[in-house]
Amino acid sequence: MWSTDPSRSVDGNGLLPRVEPRKTRIGLVAGGLGAYWPQFPDLLPQLQASARRVSERFSAMDCEVVDVGFISDAQEGAAAAEKLRVADCDLIVGFLTTYMTASMLVPVAQRSGAPVLLLNLQPSESMDHATFDTGAWLAYCGACPLPEMANAFERCGIDFRSVSGYLEDERAWARIDRWIRAAGVRAAFRHGRHGLLGHLYPGMMDVITDPTLVSAQLGGHVEILEIDDLRVLVEKVTEAETEQRMKVAREIFTLDDSVVEDDFRWGATVSVALDRLVEDFALDTLAYYHRGLDGETHERVAAGMILGASLLTARGVPAAGEYELRTSLAMLVMDKLGGGGSFTELQALNFRDNVVEMGHDGPAHLAISSDKPLLRGLGVYHGKRGWGVSVEFDVKHGPVTACGLGQRRDGSFNLIASEGTVVPGPLLQIGNTTSRVDFGCDPGEWTDAWSGSGVAHHWALGTGHRAKDLAAVADLLRLDLTVVNP
């Protein structure tokens, strides 16, 4: 199975490195009621050991952990709250090791402004009832304060979520990991810079997005770019840089006989310039479209972006054509969840095989390809001006999720998702990313339900069933989630 390997670096025979943004920052505080410590001398050391174990598990995840230690009363809770406020965390985790009062954690939640996850992880699956005394029982009493926290948080207007289990309970840690990854999506939006290059594709009313609403509802910043921002960079690319990018591309792609050498060279040149554009403007995503005219420079620049945009997408900077800002953001969601996320739309319905055929020309997420992706030469880009090379592959067979970022009549964004399975079968060979998706129902019924959800005609397609992950993302972003399962 072909895949991109983020651990490999750029060299003569290597792949381009993944672009790694700021790590997800997790604030961790553990605690218990200090009145117990003089009564049960063995209790606090046991609870602190459990807290260290939780901190170790978090540190092993792909995140930065701000561990403010163990608190025993409201005063220590207030001090921890101030440390976490300054730390600017993406998620606050409160570990309830035993009973503790709500006054110890409410300030932490109030001052940080970050979403809160409460953990109730007892030392093991169950108590040893025959030998346990009160002190031993209290180490298993993290469930006791959870309803108290819930009630106090509700009355204080604080949203929270919780995970209950035991210290080495992998089911519980899988749920915790889901919240960590969702916090990573929230962080990507809070700190994100999203490039919008060129102009709208004429007539596509569904893809129009107000950049201010992105900042207002999701956070981050939308940077408006001109096609000349990229043109100037293209003109500065050296022949040696182009040759190096062509060498890298030959390792990543299979070149079809239809590829014209000059078009391939031009795509490689634009690819180098795109990398510099992303670096110059510190972009985390890019949506673009420029029509151009009669083969002039701007048309050629816009038509040469597919190779470079696909490489950027595979490296963690989602790029979408047709000025599709919301879809580039949906692609970012799927990428952060580990599912890739490729620019996608409907192609046709196959009622004989009971599948929905979907895909798109232009940029694609190479990591979700079932095999080494193909570069195909196209004499025309359908519906667009220009010509050149395009990416073609079949999405990995197995579970997938379609994810769109919708927008309602009141301007609010919402997430829309549907889980299916990519199955083998005949595909078009026209320079598109394509897939045959079985949604477990009549293709026509699914298409009606999917369209009726309010999704636009583009979305992100990623590997794995991600509806539960997307539910966590929607929770932290305070978005509604619609799951389409006809």
Side-chain angles (χ1 to χ4, degrees), residues 83-236:
K83 292 177 183 177
L84 293 176
R85 182 192 66 80
V86 173
D88 187 29
C89 297
D90 303 305
L91 181 71
I92 299 296
V93 179
F95 178 22
L96 314 178
T97 66
T98 185
Y99 176 75
M100 56 193 298
T101 63
S103 63
M104 296 167 65
L105 281 187
V106 164
V108 172
Q110 286 178 320
R111 297 186 194 181
S112 71
V116 177
L117 172 65
L118 299 180
L119 300 186
N120 160 39
L121 301 176
Q122 62 189 39
S124 64
E125 296 96 322
S126 64
M127 294 185 291
D128 183 348
H129 299 83
T131 63
F132 272 26
D133 58 12
T134 302
W137 154 62
L138 286 172
Y140 284 72
C141 199
C144 181
L146 187 56
E148 177 178 334
M149 299 294 173
N151 179 276
F153 280 26
E154 170 65 24
R155 292 165 66 186
C156 292
I158 301 167
D159 294 332
F160 84 101
R161 57 287 308 154
S162 65
V163 172
S164 293
Y166 58 93
L167 209 54
E168 304 299 339
D169 183 354
E170 294 307 321
R171 297 167 302 177
W173 280 104
R175 299 197 300 275
I176 293 167
D177 181 66
R178 182 174 297 137
W179 288 115
I180 299 300
R181 284 184 282 119
V185 175
R186 178 178 180 269
F189 282 136
R190 284 181 67 221
H191 302 280
R193 290 176 55 83
H194 312 293
L196 201 51
L197 171 67
H199 60 80
L200 288 164
Y201 189 109
M204 286 187 181
M205 296 174 65
D206 63 325
V207 308
I208 299 172
T209 303
D210 181 347
T212 302
L213 291 182
V214 173
S215 297
Q217 297 182 43
L218 303 175
H221 168 73
V222 178
E223 183 74 17
I224 308 300
L225 303 169
E226 302 282 355
I227 190 68
D228 286 310
D229 289 320
L230 182 57
R231 174 192 57 81
V232 170
L233 293 173
V234 169
E235 292 170 351
K236 294 179 180 179

Side-chain angles (χ1 to χ4, degrees), residues 89 353 376 378:
C89 297
D353 296 339
R376 184 180 293 279
L378 299 181

